[in-house]
């Protein structure tokens, strides 16, 4: 069975600080990888996704993630966070053989103005 | 507007009183699923459906039922709700399994 772990449960940063959220997965085959964001009181929205090709993926709002196959990782990064990035971030993975989407436990990010 | 809708958005009920949370999508997606979100546990899949009349269990199916009689609708049924089913529930749909999922606004359920 596949699993996803997000190492940081809560992160507090000041505006303009750089962000990196860790995500590791366990799955033996080819994977599709996602980062979703949930702003306070809202539903989940897709930030970015990786299916194949360039392992450095760029998403919306200046976010990017790098797929490192050898480390089973898909870390999310942003060079300079803003107060409006305060949200909960979820990493998710699905295999390409009809497996279900599995989410990590989420990382709650608070950006102080 | 392409969207996933859920009703009701908020529900407070009592133990044992059957309830249904509806989910509908207007994107002609084949794949639909239900998740529950609990603090520190992220989202856990309850049930999913690959197509009409095709449903399967996710990680936490106990105490839930689903049906997929039409492509656009995927209701979640709690035959006899219990307090441990108090949670935030999300319905999602996608073009096919493995693709980006589009989420509904969520249903916050409290079972007393």
């Amino acid at each position: 069975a596949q699993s996803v772990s997000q190492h940081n449960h809560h992160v507090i940063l000041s505006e303009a600080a750089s962000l990196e959220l860790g995500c590791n997965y366990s799955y033996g085959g080819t994977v599709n990888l996602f980062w979703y964001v949930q702003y306070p009181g809202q539903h989940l929205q897709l930030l970015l996704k990786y299916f194949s090709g360039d392992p450095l993926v760029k998403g919306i709002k200046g976010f990017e993630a790098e797929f490192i196959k050898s480390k089973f990782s898909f870390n999310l990064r942003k060079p300079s966070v803003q107060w409006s990035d305060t949200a909960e971030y979820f990493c998710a993975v699905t295999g390409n053989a009809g497996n279900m989407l599995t989410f990590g436990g989420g990382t709650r990010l608070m950006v102080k103005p | 507007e392409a969207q996933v809708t859920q009703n009701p958005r908020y529900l407070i009920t009592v133990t044992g009183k059957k309830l249904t949370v509806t989910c509908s999508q207007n994107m002609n997606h084949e794949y639909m699923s239900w998740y529950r979100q609990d603090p520190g546990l992220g989202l856990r899949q309850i049930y999913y459906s690959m197509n009409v009349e095709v449903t399967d269990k996710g990680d936490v199916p106990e105490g839930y039922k689903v049906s997929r009689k039409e492509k656009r609708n995927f209701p979640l049924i709690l035959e006899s709700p219990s307090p441990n089913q108090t949670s935030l529930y999300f319905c999602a749909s996608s073009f096919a399994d493995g693709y980006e999922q589009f989420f509904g606004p969520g249903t916050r359920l409290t079972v007393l």
Side-chain angles (χ1 to χ4, degrees):
Chain A
Q2 61 203 35
S3 66
V4 180
S5 63
Q6 293 180 238
H7 318 297
N8 315 101
H9 298 294
H10 291 91
V11 174
I12 301 174
L13 295 172
S14 298
E15 275 194 315
S18 64
L19 170 72
E20 179 159 4
L21 302 182
C23 171
N24 285 91
Y25 66 92
S26 67
Y27 181 69
T30 305
V31 292
N32 297 331
L33 297 154
F34 306 84
W35 275 97
Y36 284 87
V37 61
Q38 186 178 29
Y39 297 104
Q42 296 188 27
H43 58 90
L44 278 82
Q45 304 168 43
L46 183 71
L47 264 182
L48 47 80
K49 61 189 176 189
Y50 172 81
F51 285 2
S52 63
D54 188 344
L56 184 61
V57 179
K58 294 196 184 299
I60 60 171
K61 304 189 181 186
F63 286 92
E64 65 178 31
E66 185 175 12
F67 170 51
I68 303 180
K69 189 175 181 180
S70 60
K71 295 184 178 180
F72 297 91
S73 70
F74 191 55
N75 292 355
L76 181 71
R77 299 195 291 249
K78 186 170 183 178
S80 176
V81 294
Q82 301 172 309
W83 176 80
S84 58
D85 293 324
T86 294
E88 190 159 15
Y89 293 81
F90 294 93
C91 181
V93 61
T94 185
N96 68 350
N99 293 312
M100 60 186 180
L101 188 66
T102 300
F103 283 84
T107 297
R108 199 176 290 271
L109 171 66
M110 179 185 293
V111 180
K112 297 187 293 184
Chain B
E1 180 191 354
Q3 60 183 348
V4 178
T5 57
Q6 295 177 227
N7 282 292
R9 295 289 312 281
Y10 301 90
L11 179 60
I12 301 174
T13 189
V14 296
T15 299
K17 186 175 181 182
K18 181 180 177 180
L19 66 92
T20 299
V21 184
T22 64
C23 173
S24 183
Q25 51 93 6
N26 63 1
M27 295 169 278
N28 202 36
H29 284 166
E30 295 199 341
Y31 182 90
M32 297 185 74
S33 61
W34 275 102
Y35 298 87
R36 59 177 289 173
Q37 182 181 14
D38 301 289
L41 298 177
L43 280 83
R44 293 178 292 168
Q45 193 171 49
I46 302 170
Y47 268 95
Y48 63 96
S49 169
M50 305 280 275
N51 212 326
V52 175
E53 302 291 4
V54 180
T55 63
D56 209 346
K57 296 177 181 179
D59 280 330
V60 288
E62 295 77 19
Y64 304 94
K65 283 175 54 177
V66 292
S67 69
R68 187 91 182 274
K69 293 184 172 22
E70 306 164 281
K71 199 170 188 180
R72 63 184 292 125
N73 296 324
F74 190 45
L76 178 70
I77 302 154
L78 285 72
E79 295 270 6
S80 183
S82 62
N84 65 10
Q85 292 178 297
T86 292
S87 188
L88 179 58
Y89 291 86
F90 288 99
C91 179
S93 74
S94 67
F95 169 70
D97 185 27
Y99 285 74
E100 172 192 354
Q101 294 199 15
F102 293 84
F103 285 81
T107 295
R108 188 167 290 282
L109 171 67
T110 301
V111 183
L112 301 174

